[in-house]
Amino acid sequence: LRRPSLRYALTIPSLSVGTALLALLYTWPSGDLLQFAGWVSIAVGIWLGAVLGMWLWFRWFPVPTALHDPFAPGRWLLIAVHVMFILGGAIAVAPAQGPLGA
């Protein structure tokens, strides 16, 4: 974002989704473990993204010099792990949703 102060607006949807996922997992009925594992993976990916944002965007924690550059390989690796958790969870959850989520 061109105006760094606007980054804080992204915390609202992030916290909303992350909190909803935690509530979903907390109230999960016993049953399909693959579905549960998929939702856990999605929740881990979302919360990992939140931690990465606090660390690398907002600089709430010290950032190593090697990760200062937005295009640093280490940063992209962390982003790839974040995305893989979400995609892996989505793939695990998708079969039970049927075509077009029906």
Side-chain angles (χ1 to χ4, degrees), residues 8-94:
Y8 288 97
L10 296 174
T11 60
I12 296 166
S14 176
L15 284 174
S16 298
V17 170
T19 303
L21 285 167
L22 290 180
L24 173 76
L25 296 175
Y26 182 73
T27 61
W28 189 266
S30 60
D32 189 353
L33 289 179
L34 180 61
Q35 286 281 303
F36 183 72
W39 285 110
V40 166
S41 181
I42 292 170
V44 167
I46 294 294
W47 282 102
L48 177 60
V51 170
L52 290 175
M54 288 186 289
W55 184 33
L56 299 173
W57 267 26
F58 300 131
R59 310 258 173 177
W60 290 358
F61 314 108
V63 178
T65 306
L67 298 177
H68 277 258
D69 178 17
F71 300 103
R75 247 174 121 139
W76 280 103
L77 177 64
L78 292 169
I79 293 167
V81 170
H82 153 67
V83 170
M84 292 309 292
F85 270 112
I86 296 170
L87 288 178
I91 290 168
V93 170

